[in-house]
């Protein structure tokens, strides 16, 4: 276990020094998955054979002195919403059960080219709709800090895999907070890049104008290392930004000195107070005080249109999702349900979509088709797009006053499994602080800020930067992480429970977990 608690950067150094092989490291992750994933359920599919073969190839490259990247040989888990050639990709939905993509998403191809063995595919809310991973058609993921609680969502599987030491790195996707909010409630680092900064090619779309892929890690430096592997221009994604990434790893290394002199930090007035758990607010305020101690100047900024962000998101996102999900028509992918008798193509589509989609997905398809329908389009979708513009204007004004903006990542710590499942509005409120960044296309990161005194569960600190300034997140994030760890004496995750092995070990020989 002590081996597995290291960061990806530490593993990379050990691999480079020959202190461990990628096969040993990958096997240790697979053993850990076998021991605990019956209880945590981070994975929908574990590819032991494939990961070990990639690890052996990595070891051969290292032995020949030709590593493909700094992270060559460090294993990773991938959210099951990214296409992986030859490996099942379900998006947490029954409708894609059995679908094996014939190609790799660009992010997956880049991981392979950089030599990172892929351990498997992680659990998620169906089609990335949710904040708790309870909407997965394959059962919920459990938070490693308390197995009765949610790991956040939709990328709860990726966050839990990293927090439970099953994988040192993971890939997530963030449409309204699905990397950052799971990061907050599991004590991991989660980053959403600038829109267009990481390719969406091969990411099964929920809402194209909001979706972004990003790193899920244990440290800020690991996030930067992974971001540099997967990020940058991709001609296969028409929304990909055609310019080099800022120097992310350099910014993380620079930030670790903990000196923030001259940095202007804006605390967002609208993302605090009512609705925020006392312990979350307390840890947030303490972290802000640390930034001040490091030389930062703190100002309060106001973003009044954030009051409408959630409403705008829940019109734009379902509108785009309802159109995207139309492609699951029983003809092209996965499940096909054929009713008795002499069914028409429409009967087959209806039966397949009825059986294949879960309740939350159906709810959003209905919402989206309604918002886009003739006569309502201007009143709903059109108005929401106007709010989106106002939110971008609020951000622009705030970034005139501050270099970065900060808020709690999520209003509460991890809630109990089942607690909000029947209350969609309560579920949607989890993303109140993360959604504005998606609507404006700006980057954001969640950093572990400690444990809430009232429940001992992780709290996330969100940092936001202007578009294309992702390097600021790494500088400020690494500084805060260093300052907090000096206080705690160790990374936050070292306080996470060890997790006793599950009663039934998980089958990891190329089968579903
Ligand atoms: N929880 C939000 C939603 O349900 C965000 C999901 C996401 O970022 N994929 O839409």
């Amino acid at each position: 276990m002590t081996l597995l608690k290291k960061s990806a950067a530490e593993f990379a150094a050990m691999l480079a020094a020959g202190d461990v092989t990628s096969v040993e490291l990958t096997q240790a992750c697979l053993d850990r998955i076998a021991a605990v994933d019956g209880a945590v359920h981070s994975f929908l599919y574990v590819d032991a054979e494939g990961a070990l073969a990639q690890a052996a190839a990595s070891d051969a490259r290292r032995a020949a002195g030709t590593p493909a990247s700094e992270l060559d040989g460090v294993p990773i888990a991938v959210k099951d919403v990214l296409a992986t050639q030859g490996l099942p990709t379900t998006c947490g939905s029954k409708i894609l059960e059995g679908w094996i993509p014939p190609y790799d998403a660009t992010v997956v191809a880049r991981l392979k080219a950089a030599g990172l063995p892929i351990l498997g595919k992680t659990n998620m809310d169906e089609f990335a709709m949710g904040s708790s991973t309870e909407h997965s058609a394959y059962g919920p993921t459990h938070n490693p800090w308390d197995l009765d609680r949610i790991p956040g969502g939709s990328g709860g599987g990726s966050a839990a895999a990293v927090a439970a030491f099953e994988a040192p790195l993971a890939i997530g996707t963030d449409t309204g907070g699905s990397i950052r909010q799971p990061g907050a409630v599991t004590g991991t680092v989660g980053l959403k890049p600038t829109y267009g900064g990481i390719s969406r090619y091969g990411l099964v779309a929920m809402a194209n104008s909001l979706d972004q892929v990003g790193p899920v890690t244990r440290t800020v430096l690991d996030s930067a290392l992974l971001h540099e592997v997967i990020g940058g221009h991709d001609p296969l994604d028409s929304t990909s930004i055609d310019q080099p990434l800022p120097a992310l790893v350099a910014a993380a290394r620079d930030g670790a000195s903990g000196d923030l002199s001259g940095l202007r930090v804006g605390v967002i007035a609208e993302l605090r107070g009512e609705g925020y758990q006392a312990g979350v607010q307390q840890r947030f305020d303490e972290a802000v005080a640390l930034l001040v101690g490091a030389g930062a100047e703190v100002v309060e900024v106001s973003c009044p249109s954030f009051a409408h962000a959630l409403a705008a998101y829940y019109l734009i996102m379902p509108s785009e999702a309802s159109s995207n999900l139309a492609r699951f028509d029983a003809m092209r992918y996965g499940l096909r349900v054929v009713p008795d008798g002499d069914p028409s193509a429409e009967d087959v589509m209806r039966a397949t979509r009825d059986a294949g989609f879960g309740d939350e997905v159906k709810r959003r398809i209905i919402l989206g088709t309604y918002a886009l329908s003739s006569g309502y389009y201007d009143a709903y979708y059109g108005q929401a797009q106007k709010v989106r513009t106002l939110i971008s204007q609020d951000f622009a004004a705030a970034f005139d006053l501050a270099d970065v903006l900060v808020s709690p990542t999520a209003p509460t710590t991890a809630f109990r499994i089942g607690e909000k499942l029947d209350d969609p509005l309560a579920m949607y409120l989890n993303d109140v602080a993360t959604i504005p960044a998606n609507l404006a296309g700006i980057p954001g990161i969640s950093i572990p800020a400690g444990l809430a005194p009232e429940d001992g569960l992780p709290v996330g600190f969100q940092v936001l930067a202007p578009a294309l300034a992702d390097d600021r997140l790494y500088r400020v994030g690494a500084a805060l992480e260093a300052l907090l760890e000096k206080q705690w004496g160790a990374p936050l995750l070292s306080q996470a429970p060890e997790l006793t092995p599950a009663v039934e070990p998980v089958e990891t020989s190329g089968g579903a977990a």
Side-chain angles (χ1 to χ4, degrees), residues 128-131 153-154 173-178 206 313-314 317 364 431:
M129 297 177 185
S131 306
S154 63
T173 61
D174 191 310
T175 302
S178 285
M206 164 153 92
Y313 174 87
Y314 277 99
M317 182 278 301
R364 296 199 194 189
D431 298 309

Side-chain angles (χ1 to χ4, degrees), residues 22-23 26 47-61 72-76 85 87 108 111-113 115-120:
S22 177
V23 167
T26 303
D47 183 25
E49 216 176 294
L52 288 169
Q54 292 163 48
S58 166
D59 288 335
R61 279 190 299 274
D72 196 341
V74 181
I76 189 162
Q85 186 173 11
L87 293 187
V108 172
L111 292 176
K112 287 183 179 171
L116 288 84
I118 295 174
L119 294 164

Side-chain angles (χ1 to χ4, degrees), residues 161-210:
V162 171
F165 303 103
E166 296 172 296
L169 299 168
I171 295 291
T173 61
D174 191 310
T175 302
S178 285
I179 292 176
R180 289 163 289 156
Q181 181 258 4
V185 300
T186 58
T188 55
V189 175
L191 178 130
K192 178 197 105 64
T194 295
Y195 184 80
I198 296 179
S199 172
R200 289 186 298 111
Y201 179 74
L203 159 64
V204 180
M206 164 153 92
N208 317 47
S209 77
L210 301 160

Side-chain angles (χ1 to χ4, degrees), residues 7 55 198 231 233 268 310 319 324 379 388 456 495:
S7 70
I198 296 179
H233 183 239
I268 303 172
L310 208 60
S319 297
N324 279 318
R388 194 171 187 174
Q495 295 182 46

